[in-house]
Amino acid sequence: MTTLTNANPYNYNLPVGPEMFFGRQDDVEMLARGLTATPGDSFTLIGGRRMGKTSLLEALARTLKTVPQTSMQEMLSIPLFLDLSGEGIGSAADFFRVIGERARFALADLLMVDNIAIGNHHPPAPAFAQVLQEWERATMAQRGCRLRLIFLLDECEQIIEQPWVPELYGALRYLLVGQSTRSLLK
């Protein structure tokens, strides 16, 4: 009878925690720098199932959250992790409602913001752009710095075939390249 003393400590069904995250810290730091730089950049992580994308996104969220949130900062970066496999998103408007609720919750601890309703506007991008601009004004007034929401979207393949995805892509493009919103999210 043989006893396994060197069993694999990783569970392929779960993302790894910070104590088990090895070998990709340089990637995390490069992504964090790119997402928080001026003008900043957006990234896509592509890889097969169980390659560590969720673990990398969670490590990136931890890194972005550890940046001190002081009034001396040039930018207030808010990471918003969204697992698209279990959110019950059925439209582009639902996506912006969910991400807006996450952002409002994250901002509540940092800013005094009015309870701005995201709702199910159609098209959703202009309504979300207006909310982003209101949050940006509050950030400038209260913290003296710029706001940037960072969407960390996981399990995107779960929605890729949905009929509303082209509308979502168009709305995200509108926000990512729009003059008044391009610096507010990545």
Side-chain angles (χ1 to χ4, degrees), residues 63-75:
T63 297
L64 292 167
K65 287 177 183 175
T66 61
V67 173
Q69 304 297 339
T70 67
S71 61
M72 301 304 288
Q73 281 182 265
E74 183 178 312
M75 184 179 308

Side-chain angles (χ1 to χ4, degrees), residues 150-184:
I150 299 173
F151 296 173
L152 303 173
L153 306 177
D154 197 18
E155 298 293 331
C156 292
E157 69 274 10
Q158 300 296 320
I159 66 164
I160 201 82
E161 299 294 326
Q162 298 297 323
W164 49 268
V165 167
E167 179 185 6
L168 176 61
Y169 286 162
L172 289 172
R173 177 166 169 65
Y174 171 89
L175 294 166
L176 287 168
V177 302
Q179 179 88 25
S180 62
T181 54
R182 70 176 70 147
S183 67
L184 301 179

